Amino acid sequence: MAALLATSTNAQEAKTSAVAATQASLTAIKAKNDQLHAVIALNPHALADARALDAERKAGKVRGPLHGVPILLKDNIESADDTATTAGSLALKDNVTGRDAPLVKRLTDAGMVILGKTNLSEWANIRSSHSISGWSAVGGTVRNPYVLDRSACGSSSGSGAAVAAGLALAAIGTETDGSITCPAAINGLVGLKPTVGLVSRTHIVPISHSQDTAGPMTRTVTDAALILTAIAGSDPADPATKEADARKTDYAKGLDKNALKGVTLAVARFYTGYSPGTDAVFEQALKDLKAQGATLVEVKDFDEGPIGKAEGVVLYTELKVDLNAYLASTDPNKVKTRTLEDLIAFNKATPKELEWFGQESFEKAQATKGYDDPEYIKAVADGKRLAGPEGIDKILKDAGAIAIVAPTTGPAWTIDPLNGDHYGGSSTTLPAVAGYPHLTVPMGDVGGLPVGLSFIGPAWSEASLLNLGFAYEQATMKRKDPKFLSTVAP
């Protein structure tokens, strides 16, 4: 718990009092959430859960380093605490399932206190290509605590803003492509998208079983490692996790500040050029990596175009089938929309849902033909091959490297409800489509707006990436607390 203790007063309180730590978070949420719109719902049992954990500690039972530490969940993750799981949509506003996602059960078994649910880009940002990251009909628009007129990115927007602003020590996000790593980077956090299959997806509102995963968003690499250790593991209800128990380890044990010494890293130059300010910070990060003993090999070119094309087919096809299956598992008395087709009709009949942007991505998904469609079958195979064996694996082999480094994305853009998101680029797609792990760590800022350094590796390389990220973090300590500025202007 050393890093947790180092990062927050209420973490220090958690070591002796879960109630004090939980109350500190609830007080911070009350003080700041009207400004940030980061938290959608609070667990009504949070303080009672904390009291029970304090009683355990008093009786001599400590579950581990996370005992009594409060955490927030993205509001597409179910928890059996009388909160609804809405995915930000009014169609799910009454979706109180009484079910714990397996990852939530693992968190509470480790002694964590579930504080509540965070706002998100509605439906994890799959409804429209003109969406506003961080906007949902249920929760409004998440604000970036560094500069309040800037985006918190998405889709795990509230998770990023809440942890950055000190509303909780940590949060769980989910990612299909960039939805943990982008908001983590833009909110000055550590974010880890694990290998698909390391963490169960059961009872999480889905987009794509090929790419979806949950992961930690924290202020330090050690905190991310502690939480990943808690949530990783096999789940009989999620076939993708069959290897998880054999692959998982204690990710926080043995983190080494000298881990960069003697390693070779591939520098993904093809992920630069869209943000001069970010590129300048990245150049300094490369110098810092060298100073810690890393050898850098330049990789100038890689064509992501065919991967993106295949990804679109996969995501739209899987959204229809996977979301229909999820909706069918909910209580029909609480969730009247039983299919994607029903959701499209609901949105058309609900002005607030379509106030700022449409649902053309939902409509594309509804038109797909299912898992027997030859176009889908080919797209799955092409995407995995191009991003994995012929992408990340080949880049690493050709460079003799253990990981790829790149800027995660540029600084936060202005929130624009009329035109939607406008950002330049990111390094999220290769690991997302391959299903490989992706870690982002704060590497500095551009005009006061944080940017992150990405470490991308082969399947199941979380321990290695966390070690590299820890060494970089400890050598540079680039994270700064937000100042809640109103705007950035010359």
Side-chain angles (χ1 to χ4, degrees):
M1 197 164 172
L4 286 163
L5 291 173
T7 58
S8 172
T9 300
N10 66 356
Q12 294 170 14
E13 291 167 340
K15 191 169 184 181
T16 55
S17 171
V19 169
T22 301
Q23 187 59 64
S25 282
L26 293 173
T27 300
I29 291 168
K30 184 176 181 181
K32 297 177 182 176
N33 196 54
D34 285 348
Q35 188 178 38
L36 295 175
H37 305 287
V39 178
I40 277 185
L42 293 174
N43 171 13
H45 313 297
L47 284 170
D49 296 342
R51 281 192 288 271
L53 288 162
D54 281 343
E56 285 187 13
R57 185 183 289 276
K58 189 174 181 180
K61 178 183 177 183
V62 178
R63 302 189 186 198
L66 299 174
H67 189 107
V69 176
I71 190 168
L72 286 161
L73 307 173
K74 186 178 179 179
D75 193 27
N76 58 353
I77 302 169
E78 294 186 12
S79 54
D81 54 20
D82 298 327
T83 59
T85 301
T86 72
S89 170
L90 295 170
L92 298 186
K93 67 182 177 61
D94 299 318
N95 185 34
V96 180
T97 67
R99 305 185 296 206
D100 264 341
L103 79 84
V104 175
K105 178 67 162 52
R106 288 177 176 272
L107 289 171
T108 55
D109 284 350
M112 299 201 84
V113 178
I114 307 301
L115 283 170
K117 302 288 184 64
T118 59
N119 199 2
L120 68 164
S121 309
E122 186 171 310
W123 296 111
N125 226 4
I126 193 65
R127 203 187 80 189
S128 170
S129 57
H130 302 286
S131 64
I132 308 162
S133 283
W135 179 90
S136 73
V138 173
T141 306
V142 180
R143 300 279 167 170
N144 189 309
Y146 287 85
V147 181
L148 294 167
D149 67 354
R150 296 274 164 162
S151 176
C153 197
S155 61
S156 306
S157 318
S159 294
V163 177
L167 308 191
L169 287 164
I172 301 295
T174 67
E175 175 159 331
T176 305
D177 186 339
S179 285
I180 290 171
T181 46
C182 179
I186 272 179
N187 288 283
L189 299 178
V190 174
L192 177 66
K193 182 201 85 76
T195 302
V196 172
L198 184 62
V199 177
S200 167
R201 290 87 54 86
T202 300
H203 303 327
I204 299 176
V205 182
I207 291 177
S208 158
H209 65 266
S210 290
Q211 293 182 209
D212 289 351
T213 184
M217 300 172 70
T218 62
R219 285 176 231 159
T220 72
V221 174
T222 302
D223 295 357
L226 287 167
I227 292 169
L228 182 64
T229 302
I231 63 176
S234 299
D235 167 21
D238 184 353
T241 65
K242 63 184 178 181
E243 290 186 59
D245 281 349
R247 296 284 189 172
K248 71 176 289 188
T249 187
D250 183 342
Y251 295 100
K253 187 177 181 181
L255 287 175
D256 181 6
K257 66 181 182 180
N258 297 311
L260 286 163
K261 189 173 183 179
V263 305
T264 299
L265 302 173
V267 178
R269 287 290 176 192
F270 53 88
Y271 280 139
T272 63
Y274 56 84
S275 168
T278 305
D279 288 350
V281 177
F282 182 54
E283 289 306 316
Q284 181 58 52
L286 295 178
K287 291 177 183 176
D288 293 334
L289 293 169
K290 280 185 180 179
Q292 294 305 305
T295 297
L296 305 182
V297 176
E298 299 277 333
V299 182
K300 293 185 178 180
D301 299 308
F302 186 85
D303 182 9
E304 245 185 26
I307 297 171
K309 183 178 179 182
E311 181 184 28
V313 174
V314 172
L315 296 191
Y316 290 136
T317 303
E318 294 187 357
L319 173 65
K320 180 180 179 180
V321 179
D322 294 356
L323 188 53
N324 283 350
Y326 175 80
L327 293 169
S329 80
T330 62
D331 184 342
N333 294 314
K334 297 176 180 176
V335 179
K336 305 299 183 183
T337 50
R338 309 305 296 163
T339 64
L340 177 59
E341 186 175 23
D342 290 346
L343 287 173
I344 291 169
F346 174 88
N347 290 337
K348 287 179 179 177
T350 309
K352 188 175 181 180
E353 286 289 350
L354 300 182
E355 181 178 11
W356 295 113
F357 55 88
Q359 56 180 340
E360 67 278 1
S361 297
F362 267 14
E363 290 163 350
K364 283 182 182 179
Q366 180 58 28
T368 59
K369 301 173 184 177
Y371 294 162
D372 294 331
D373 182 6
E375 183 184 14
Y376 165 74
I377 294 168
K378 183 177 187 298
V380 171
D382 286 350
K384 292 293 184 190
R385 172 177 51 80
L386 292 169
E390 296 179 17
I392 293 171
D393 294 337
K394 186 175 188 300
I395 290 169
L396 294 174
K397 183 179 178 182
D398 290 350
I402 65 166
I404 296 168
V405 291
T408 308
T409 191
W413 55 94
T414 48
I415 296 168
D416 187 346
L418 298 180
N419 298 304
D421 289 341
H422 46 95
Y423 57 90
S426 76
S427 57
T428 65
T429 294
L430 264 179
V433 176
Y436 290 1
H438 180 181
L439 174 71
T440 183
V441 178
M443 72 170 179
D445 67 275
V446 177
L449 290 162
V451 289
L453 176 65
S454 285
F455 295 86
I456 298 164
W460 314 110
S461 63
E462 284 81 1
S464 174
L465 297 185
L466 286 162
N467 220 5
L468 297 172
F470 177 77
Y472 172 76
E473 170 196 65
Q474 295 300 302
T476 61
M477 302 300 286
K478 292 292 188 179
R479 184 183 180 275
K480 300 174 184 176
D481 287 333
K483 295 183 178 179
F484 299 86
L485 301 177
S486 60
T487 192
V488 172

